[in-house]
Amino acid sequence: MKAFNKLDGLVCPLDRANVDTDAIIPKQFLKSIKRSGFGPNLFDEWRYLDHGEPGMDNSVRPLNPDFVLNFPRYAGAQVLLARENFGCGSSREHAPWALDDQGFRVVIAPSFADIFFNNCYKNGLLPIVQPAEVVDQLFRECEASEGYRLTVDLQAQTITTPSGQSFAFDITEHRKHCLLGGLDEIGLTLQHAEEIKSYEAARRQSQPWLFHQV
Amino acid sequence: MTAQTLYDKLWSSHVVREEADGTVLLYIDRHLVHEVTSPQAFEGLKLAGRGLWRVDSVVSTADHNTPTDHWDEGIKDPISRQQVETLDANIKSFGALAYFPFKDKGQGIVHVMGPEQGATLPGMTVVCGDSHTSTHGAFGALAHGIGTSEVEHVMATQCLVAKKSKNMLVKVNGPLPAGITGKDVALAIIGKIGTAGGTGYAIEFGGEAIRSLSMEGRMTLCNMAIEAGARSGMVAVDEKTIDYVKGRPFAPTGAQWDAAVAYWNTLHSDEGAHFDAVVELDASDIKPQVTWGTSPEMVTDIDGIVPDPAAEADPVKKGSIERALAYMGLTANTPVKDIPVDIVFIGSCTNSRIEDLREAAAVARGRKKAASVKQVLVVPGSGLVKAQAEAEGLDKIFIEAGFEWREPGCSMCLAMNADRLQPGERCASTSNRNFEGRQGQGGRTHLVSPAMAAAAGVTGHFVDIRQL
Ligand code: SF4
């Protein structure tokens, strides 16, 4: 996994509540058996004027000029500013894969759907919860000044605006540790293989009906 | 010992180890695997030279991409076919307790297949790379959806890195009125608490109305817990749970059955257990539900009207209503009963079990598809449901009514196969999501129960099933 430490990134505001994973990456792109290449289809139905299918040359498709991601001022944005319940709907990890592939490293919103929130951490993407008033303020500032950037410091757990105002954010120790180090979570868990085995052996004793010969 | 909720019991009995910050390694008993969210996980295992920690925990099927007609022609879409064939190959090389591939008679939607095989049992932790895994909580199991990285993590370690959710009790008091189904209860709850109302919680559904639901009804309800924002929903074990499980292929037998039942009977919240949030509804207030917008919380009942954004003060909500009405092609203040439908879809992991099909057939019997309705699709949840329905003659009732009787799969629930809405088409659907484009780009979805969907199919618009 990609490590995350500190980022100074351009901000793109997506002013809609309840953005679901079907909107983030429509299902026709879930047929891929790969992990990469989803970026050009991020927000596909909002981003293009035609209907997207896997295998199309996205560079020649007609762009929707009214969709923020297509505004020249937001080209290369790494921080996505969003509204409440971002990432609701399906468990598809293709949603964080698409955000990552597009170049986003941070999503800031008043609230996230649980599964999406969790999936972000597995992919080096940092989801940050801020109170609705703070998110409102960031939307206002971002829309008012072209080239608006935020500095996100994971070690210090802060977001800093261009005027120097700082906001703290929460993250569990475990997630912070994994993100900072870009650690392979499976490898970390397997350090506890003996504990898993002894738990499993006890379970096999007490609930043998959960185990089968194959 | 302090009183525990059902969720507390399920959680604590699966903790392998706990870190100081509350992060837990949670042991997983059952891993359900389908073709869409697994290929990258198997690929990851291969690259790292890892295998499955416990082969007998994996039960798998292909459902999302499979066609629902012309099975003799195979899967025509080459990308869909590759995904299904990739699952075949991965199961072949990694192994599984059971695999129900495309065209197998046990094949079906993963959340229909698991319970009917007895692969879902009370007291288990059940995960799947699919958010509607909450369905299995109907059995007094802790079940939730996971992402593909977690799929790989469970495959390699049999554990999930997890943090405990808060406890929420949703209590539906009083007897369920005639004609009201698990689907109506689910939508009424979502209408009340919103699509983020359950975020951060594990929901236990209780109360007289829930106890009176069949296992199918409870599965429908738990299936939609995720639409209320909760990763898991659950119902305490009772006689109905145990009767349903008995005799299924992977259910215990003999002395193990007796031991299992004794344990399962402890799977309920203790008297006086603490819930962080409690929501109560009166069953007598619940009428047949119909969604009007592009989120499951945008719901009203059959006597309701499409809301007017002008009456909404909150600017974000007002904007959402305006956008939803524009997408749905609806005018504010239109009575729900006046909304015509083009297509009807009866199926999905929410409502494609035998009881759902019986309810739809009871409406279709002796009636005909309305001339204004282009198509009514009936897609059973699995090969076994299909066989059972045919044994009861339900297929004939549907066909005589002018409905189409299809092969099992996810179908038009998310339109990854060939079954999809055309832009602008309006559908009465028994599925669980009415998001923009969910059933096909530009398609308009209204979520309803199976009986309400069948009634829309024979009248051409929404009607009160209790007055049909
Ligand atoms: S029926 Fe629909 S919601 Fe259920 S698993 Fe299939 S696609 Fe997902």
Side-chain angles (χ1 to χ4, degrees), chain B residues 64 109 111 130 132 348-349 410 413-414 432 438:
Chain B
H64 285 65
I109 306 172
H111 310 307
D130 188 284
H132 292 101
S348 90
C349 59
C410 293
C413 173
L414 94 165
N432 43 49
R438 173 78 178 182

Side-chain angles (χ1 to χ4, degrees), chain A residues 122-197:
Chain A
K122 316 284 177 188
N123 294 284
L125 203 67
L126 177 60
I128 298 178
V129 177
Q130 287 292 297
E133 315 81 72
V134 174
V135 173
D136 267 341
Q137 178 189 333
L138 297 179
F139 263 101
R140 277 196 307 274
E141 292 181 4
C142 179
E143 278 155 11
S145 67
E146 194 163 338
Y148 186 81
R149 303 175 79 83
L150 287 171
T151 303
V152 179
D153 186 339
L154 177 57
Q155 187 63 53
Q157 295 181 221
T158 54
I159 305 170
T160 310
T161 69
S163 68
Q165 194 179 3
S166 264
F167 302 99
F169 64 86
D170 279 338
I171 181 170
T172 66
E173 271 311 311
H174 177 82
R175 283 171 170 159
K176 184 173 174 178
H177 177 69
C178 288
L179 265 183
L180 283 171
L183 300 177
D184 162 24
E185 211 170 40
I186 294 178
L188 282 181
T189 298
L190 287 174
Q191 291 174 1
H192 306 297
E194 287 311 311
E195 273 171 89
I196 302 171
K197 281 184 196 151

Side-chain angles (χ1 to χ4, degrees), chain B residues 95-168:
Chain B
L97 173 63
Y99 179 45
F100 304 99
F102 174 46
K103 294 190 194 179
D104 188 280
K105 66 180 188 309
Q107 183 252 350
I109 306 172
V110 65
H111 310 307
V112 175
M113 174 277 288
E116 76 185 3
Q117 294 290 339
T120 302
L121 295 174
M124 274 183 165
T125 40
V126 180
V127 296
C128 174
D130 188 284
S131 60
H132 292 101
T133 309
S134 57
T135 309
H136 308 264
F139 290 83
L142 177 55
H144 61 73
I146 55 177
T148 298
S149 295
E150 290 175 312
V151 168
E152 184 182 340
H153 193 277
V154 173
M155 285 174 170
T157 70
Q158 211 57 39
C159 291
L160 209 53
V161 177
K163 272 204 101 166
K164 197 174 175 194
S165 304
K166 288 180 285 184
N167 278 288
M168 179 186 283

